[in-house]
Amino acid sequence: MNGDSWGGARNRKDRCSESIKLEQCEKILETVRASLGLDMPFNRMLTIHWEKLGVVPADGLAVLTAFNSLARDWARKRGHPIAYLWIRENDFGDGSKGEHVHILLHIPEPILQEFVQPMTRRWLLRVTGGKYRKGAARFDTIGQRASDYRNAPEIYRENLGKLVAGYLLKGASKEAAPELGLPRWNNGGRIKGKRWGRSQNLVGG
């Protein structure tokens, strides 16, 4: 049995890519729709710059997986499951940004404040071996106001759509961008291993 079995070559941990393929873009959009249908709307976007935290590209996926696991388990123990969708990016090899990740998160309101601060920093310290630099992680609210997803759903959906199509999918391939009518396209940088992923509770939603 060769190393490409059980999922094929596209799932190999050492496989590199420089863009998000059309099929992947479609699955990302499906996941965003699923979050709404399952009443787990994304209410925060977390951007983590791994290079600032001393993480080398070869370890990017491993530290991200560890971070997500810590966040998911912490929330579950408090009776409030989270949902997430992540997309990894890199620079063009010029060191301008280094490897980073954008994570769309559904964080239930009862645990939102503690999740954002101080827990996120604690998890980052843990997965990086105690390294942290100011500005390495940033949270952004999705929508004009934090309450939009609940009190102004139309405004929220419009802002979410613009964020996903105009920003998160900017690393789509040259073939995918025009096919999906994306307003922005740019090389997403060289990434080793999986380029995007989602929490299990959003699969098949």
Side-chain angles (χ1 to χ4, degrees):
M1 186 175 291
N2 62 49
D4 290 342
S5 300
W6 301 103
R10 65 178 180 175
N11 290 326
R12 285 171 47 190
K13 293 182 180 180
D14 60 347
R15 184 177 178 84
C16 293
S17 66
E18 296 185 355
S19 62
I20 310 172
K21 297 180 180 179
L22 175 60
E23 180 183 0
Q24 295 172 319
C25 289
E26 292 173 337
K27 288 183 178 179
I28 289 170
L29 293 171
E30 289 173 4
T31 301
V32 174
R33 288 190 289 268
S35 71
L36 300 173
L38 294 169
D39 197 27
M40 290 189 288
F42 297 124
N43 52 3
R44 291 293 187 279
M45 182 176 75
L46 170 61
T47 299
I48 305 172
H49 289 270
W50 293 122
E51 188 167 294
K52 290 184 178 181
L53 298 176
V55 177
V56 298
D59 295 333
L61 181 57
V63 293
L64 171 60
T65 300
F67 175 86
N68 287 338
S69 180
L70 288 172
R72 183 181 63 244
D73 292 346
W74 177 86
R76 182 185 296 126
K77 289 178 181 178
R78 284 152 182 77
H80 297 285
I82 62 173
Y84 52 82
L85 162 69
W86 51 264
I87 298 177
R88 298 167 64 203
E89 295 181 349
N90 208 337
D91 55 32
F92 302 102
D94 57 5
S96 59
K97 290 184 178 180
E99 181 163 334
H100 54 285
V101 62
H102 301 295
I103 311 174
L104 292 183
L105 284 153
H106 167 71
I107 312 171
E109 290 187 54
I111 62 172
L112 177 58
Q113 184 173 349
E114 189 177 3
F115 188 107
V116 172
Q117 186 64 251
M119 294 312 301
T120 290
R121 181 167 179 170
R122 290 181 185 176
W123 296 324
L124 289 174
L125 286 169
R126 183 169 176 181
V127 301
T128 62
K131 300 174 183 177
Y132 189 82
R133 285 180 59 189
K134 184 177 181 181
R138 185 188 76 242
F139 275 96
D140 292 298
T141 299
I142 300 176
Q144 297 177 354
R145 299 179 179 82
S147 60
D148 277 355
Y149 76 95
R150 183 180 63 252
N151 298 330
E154 292 185 1
I155 293 177
Y156 165 79
R157 288 178 182 241
E158 180 181 357
N159 278 269
L160 177 63
K162 289 180 179 179
L163 173 66
V164 173
Y167 188 71
L168 291 182
L169 291 181
K170 64 182 181 293
S173 67
K174 291 182 179 180
E175 295 75 24
E179 182 72 19
L180 296 173
L182 300 178
R184 182 179 179 184
W185 176 83
N186 200 350
N187 190 308
R190 189 174 180 82
I191 289 293
K192 184 176 182 179
K194 290 182 66 176
R195 196 170 193 96
W196 79 282
R198 54 191 169 181
S199 54
Q200 190 63 33
N201 53 5
L202 292 179
V203 176

